[in-house]
mmCIF file with all atom_site columns, all heavy atoms in Angstrom:
data_model
loop_
_atom_site.group_PDB
_atom_site.id
_atom_site.type_symbol
_atom_site.label_atom_id
_atom_site.label_alt_id
_atom_site.label_comp_id
_atom_site.label_asym_id
_atom_site.label_entity_id
_atom_site.label_seq_id
_atom_site.pdbx_PDB_ins_code
_atom_site.Cartn_x
_atom_site.Cartn_y
_atom_site.Cartn_z
_atom_site.occupancy
_atom_site.B_iso_or_equiv
_atom_site.pdbx_formal_charge
_atom_site.auth_seq_id
_atom_site.auth_comp_id
_atom_site.auth_asym_id
_atom_site.auth_atom_id
_atom_site.pdbx_PDB_model_num
ATOM 1  N N   . GLY A 1 47  ? -3.086  15.018  2.642   1.00 0.00 ? 47  GLY A N   1
ATOM 2  C CA  . GLY A 1 47  ? -3.249  14.435  1.329   1.00 0.00 ? 47  GLY A CA  1
ATOM 3  C C   . GLY A 1 47  ? -4.701  14.027  1.121   1.00 0.00 ? 47  GLY A C   1
ATOM 4  O O   . GLY A 1 47  ? -5.489  13.972  2.061   1.00 0.00 ? 47  GLY A O   1
ATOM 5  N N   . ARG A 1 147 ? 1.169   -23.051 4.231   1.00 0.00 ? 147 ARG A N   1
ATOM 6  C CA  . ARG A 1 147 ? 2.545   -22.674 3.975   1.00 0.00 ? 147 ARG A CA  1
ATOM 7  C C   . ARG A 1 147 ? 3.330   -23.864 3.426   1.00 0.00 ? 147 ARG A C   1
ATOM 8  O O   . ARG A 1 147 ? 3.446   -24.891 4.087   1.00 0.00 ? 147 ARG A O   1
ATOM 9  C CB  . ARG A 1 147 ? 3.209   -22.168 5.254   1.00 0.00 ? 147 ARG A CB  1
ATOM 10 C CG  . ARG A 1 147 ? 2.570   -20.888 5.772   1.00 0.00 ? 147 ARG A CG  1
ATOM 11 C CD  . ARG A 1 147 ? 3.312   -20.359 6.990   1.00 0.00 ? 147 ARG A CD  1
ATOM 12 N NE  . ARG A 1 147 ? 2.790   -19.080 7.419   1.00 0.00 ? 147 ARG A NE  1
ATOM 13 C CZ  . ARG A 1 147 ? 3.249   -18.399 8.455   1.00 0.00 ? 147 ARG A CZ  1
ATOM 14 N NH1 . ARG A 1 147 ? 4.254   -18.883 9.171   1.00 0.00 ? 147 ARG A NH1 1
ATOM 15 N NH2 . ARG A 1 147 ? 2.724   -17.237 8.775   1.00 0.00 ? 147 ARG A NH2 1
ATOM 16 N N   . TRP A 1 153 ? -2.457  -23.601 8.984   1.00 0.00 ? 153 TRP A N   1
ATOM 17 C CA  . TRP A 1 153 ? -2.193  -22.845 10.203  1.00 0.00 ? 153 TRP A CA  1
ATOM 18 C C   . TRP A 1 153 ? -3.337  -21.872 10.396  1.00 0.00 ? 153 TRP A C   1
ATOM 19 O O   . TRP A 1 153 ? -3.585  -21.020 9.548   1.00 0.00 ? 153 TRP A O   1
ATOM 20 C CB  . TRP A 1 153 ? -0.875  -22.077 10.083  1.00 0.00 ? 153 TRP A CB  1
ATOM 21 C CG  . TRP A 1 153 ? 0.336   -22.945 10.051  1.00 0.00 ? 153 TRP A CG  1
ATOM 22 C CD1 . TRP A 1 153 ? 0.528   -24.070 9.324   1.00 0.00 ? 153 TRP A CD1 1
ATOM 23 C CD2 . TRP A 1 153 ? 1.534   -22.732 10.791  1.00 0.00 ? 153 TRP A CD2 1
ATOM 24 N NE1 . TRP A 1 153 ? 1.770   -24.591 9.537   1.00 0.00 ? 153 TRP A NE1 1
ATOM 25 C CE2 . TRP A 1 153 ? 2.424   -23.780 10.439  1.00 0.00 ? 153 TRP A CE2 1
ATOM 26 C CE3 . TRP A 1 153 ? 1.960   -21.760 11.695  1.00 0.00 ? 153 TRP A CE3 1
ATOM 27 C CZ2 . TRP A 1 153 ? 3.695   -23.889 10.965  1.00 0.00 ? 153 TRP A CZ2 1
ATOM 28 C CZ3 . TRP A 1 153 ? 3.238   -21.865 12.216  1.00 0.00 ? 153 TRP A CZ3 1
ATOM 29 C CH2 . TRP A 1 153 ? 4.084   -22.919 11.867  1.00 0.00 ? 153 TRP A CH2 1
ATOM 30 N N   . LYS A 1 208 ? -20.294 -13.405 0.308   1.00 0.00 ? 208 LYS A N   1
ATOM 31 C CA  . LYS A 1 208 ? -19.177 -13.766 1.176   1.00 0.00 ? 208 LYS A CA  1
ATOM 32 C C   . LYS A 1 208 ? -18.195 -14.599 0.378   1.00 0.00 ? 208 LYS A C   1
ATOM 33 O O   . LYS A 1 208 ? -18.419 -15.786 0.134   1.00 0.00 ? 208 LYS A O   1
ATOM 34 C CB  . LYS A 1 208 ? -19.677 -14.555 2.388   1.00 0.00 ? 208 LYS A CB  1
ATOM 35 C CG  . LYS A 1 208 ? -18.576 -14.931 3.374   1.00 0.00 ? 208 LYS A CG  1
ATOM 36 C CD  . LYS A 1 208 ? -19.146 -15.719 4.542   1.00 0.00 ? 208 LYS A CD  1
ATOM 37 C CE  . LYS A 1 208 ? -18.045 -16.116 5.522   1.00 0.00 ? 208 LYS A CE  1
ATOM 38 N NZ  . LYS A 1 208 ? -18.586 -16.904 6.651   1.00 0.00 ? 208 LYS A NZ  1
ATOM 39 N N   . LEU A 1 306 ? -0.119  3.917   -21.484 1.00 0.00 ? 306 LEU A N   1
ATOM 40 C CA  . LEU A 1 306 ? 0.000   4.099   -20.045 1.00 0.00 ? 306 LEU A CA  1
ATOM 41 C C   . LEU A 1 306 ? 1.356   3.592   -19.556 1.00 0.00 ? 306 LEU A C   1
ATOM 42 O O   . LEU A 1 306 ? 1.881   2.626   -20.116 1.00 0.00 ? 306 LEU A O   1
ATOM 43 C CB  . LEU A 1 306 ? -1.110  3.342   -19.309 1.00 0.00 ? 306 LEU A CB  1
ATOM 44 C CG  . LEU A 1 306 ? -2.526  3.901   -19.409 1.00 0.00 ? 306 LEU A CG  1
ATOM 45 C CD1 . LEU A 1 306 ? -3.521  2.926   -18.790 1.00 0.00 ? 306 LEU A CD1 1
ATOM 46 C CD2 . LEU A 1 306 ? -2.633  5.263   -18.743 1.00 0.00 ? 306 LEU A CD2 1
#
Side-chain angles (χ1 to χ4, degrees):
R147 296 184 175 180
W153 292 46
K208 182 180 179 181
L306 288 172

